[in-house]
Amino acid sequence: MSLPGTKRTLGASIDGVYLKPEAPPLISHSPVVFWLLPAFGVRGAGYFLATTEMIFGSLIFLGYWSPRLGILGALGSIVTFIGTTSIIPFLPDGWAHEAGGFPIMTLPLGFLMKDVLFLVASFYLLKQDLRRAALEITRTTT
């Protein structure tokens, strides 16, 4: 329940007041999702990210009842989190220099580190849904 709930909450708040000022610098430093800003602008990129996160979070939630929907949600979530974790190595001033640098993170880097855990959780959900789908297929063929 945690991963779909978090994805849906973050998806709903991406275009909110809190993330809007920080979003363009984060998006522009990603080698995966940098194209969103020139393609859609700041507002459109926010809507795009929010919509995809809401869709994938809902698919993961529906995966509790349908492994095929869970597989789609997990795959989409993996792509989403690859995009956000790709920002981490390219984020300027990610380490707090005033506190001595590594391992003290600045807020944007700390915010992105949660996505590493969610990426791993997405792979785990994919594995579980693939296993459940395979069991469904073997039950129907026997």
Side-chain angles (χ1 to χ4, degrees):
M1 276 312 246
S2 175
L3 184 62
T6 303
K7 281 193 77 60
R8 292 184 67 206
T9 302
L10 286 174
S13 68
I14 270 187
D15 195 44
V17 176
Y18 299 111
L19 293 180
K20 208 181 300 178
E22 286 90 11
L26 293 178
I27 293 170
S28 66
H29 285 99
S30 170
V32 178
V33 295
F34 70 92
W35 57 271
L36 288 175
L37 290 175
F40 300 120
V42 175
R43 195 114 172 123
Y47 284 133
F48 178 83
L49 291 172
T51 302
T52 56
E53 288 200 1
M54 294 287 284
I55 290 170
F56 297 140
S58 297
L59 285 170
I60 289 171
F61 179 72
L62 293 172
Y64 290 121
W65 296 281
S66 170
R68 291 180 181 171
L69 293 177
I71 290 168
L72 288 175
L75 287 172
S77 185
I78 288 169
V79 170
T80 300
F81 290 126
I82 286 173
T84 55
T85 56
S86 70
I87 298 170
I88 293 171
F90 302 101
L91 188 66
D93 299 324
W95 305 109
H97 298 290
E98 62 277 358
F102 182 80
I104 309 299
M105 295 178 268
T106 59
L107 185 59
L109 182 60
F111 176 74
L112 291 172
M113 289 302 282
K114 71 173 177 9
D115 292 345
V116 175
L117 173 68
F118 286 150
L119 178 62
V120 173
S122 297
F123 275 108
Y124 176 77
L125 287 174
L126 177 63
K127 180 184 124 189
Q128 294 301 318
D129 285 331
L130 285 171
R131 182 178 290 161
R132 287 179 41 221
L135 281 173
E136 260 185 27
I137 291 170
T138 56
R139 283 187 198 146
T140 57
T141 58
T142 55

